[in-house]
Every structure is written in structure tokens, then in C-alpha cells.
Amino acid sequence: MMTTLLSIAAGGAIGATARYLTNTAVMRLVGPGFPWGTVVANVAGSFLMGVLVVVLAHKGGMRFAPFLMTGVLGGFTTFSAFSLDTMILIERGATAQAGAYVIGSVVLSVTALAVGMVLARGIVA
């Protein structure tokens, strides 16, 4: 149990660092004003989750799931930041933008997960 917890913690540190670097890079690329970094992290994280769930299951690698899925991707995907960004947009009076952000993020993330699964199944099957 302790080994699993340490594995998750290490993965979380990696994922959180990757999220910070992603947000910084995206903000530098497109500028502030809209939480594009969070969108990128959520969509990319969902895509990778789709790939990992298939690959780990097909290759007998579920022992790596706590580190990779819970730790790395749990630290990388940013749904708590997503919720905060949504509230900030609402508090700024940008409710239409907040609604588009919520719908777009959810639809793109679920789609990315499905695409990741389909691609991974095509590779490992």
C-alpha cells in the first residue's frame, strides 16, 4: 500500500509540473484572457487517459495505472482549475463565454478520450 501511495505521489508531482509548464507555454503562445492552457491540459490528459486505459489493459500493465493514471494524469488534468476558471468567467459577467468553456471542454475531453481509445485499440489489437 505504501509503495502504491508513493507511486501516486511521484506521478502527481510529474503531472502537476507538466500542467504548470503547459499552462505557461499556452499562455505565452496565445496570451491571457481565456483559460486555453486548462483546455489543452484537459483535452490532452483525456486523450492520454484513453490511450493508457487500452494499452495497459491489453498489455497487462495495470500495475502501472496508479502511477500513470491516478498520479501523472491526475496531476496533469485540471478539473479543479477548470471549475475555478469557470467561476472567474462567471464572476466577470462572461456567462456565455463560461458556458462555451464548460461545454467545449467537456465535449473535447470526452472526444479526445474516445479517439485515444480507438487509436490505441488499432495499435495494440
Side-chain angles (χ1 to χ4, degrees), residues 38-73:
T38 302
V39 173
V40 169
N42 285 339
V43 172
S46 294
F47 173 81
L48 292 171
M49 185 71 78
V51 169
L52 279 174
V53 73
V54 172
V55 171
L56 294 178
H58 277 76
K59 297 296 183 179
M62 291 309 289
R63 67 185 176 281
F64 299 113
F67 171 73
L68 293 171
M69 295 171 72
T70 305
V72 175
L73 290 180

Side-chain angles (χ1 to χ4, degrees), residues 43-115:
V43 172
S46 294
F47 173 81
L48 292 171
M49 185 71 78
V51 169
L52 279 174
V53 73
V54 172
V55 171
L56 294 178
H58 277 76
K59 297 296 183 179
M62 291 309 289
R63 67 185 176 281
F64 299 113
F67 171 73
L68 293 171
M69 295 171 72
T70 305
V72 175
L73 290 180
F76 181 68
T77 57
T78 53
F79 269 57
S80 58
F82 162 79
S83 299
L84 177 61
D85 290 338
T86 302
M87 283 307 301
I88 289 170
L89 289 170
I90 290 169
E91 288 177 350
R92 287 184 190 161
T95 53
Q97 203 174 22
Y101 175 56
V102 168
I103 292 167
S105 292
V106 171
V107 168
L108 289 171
S109 294
V110 172
T111 301
L113 186 129
V115 169

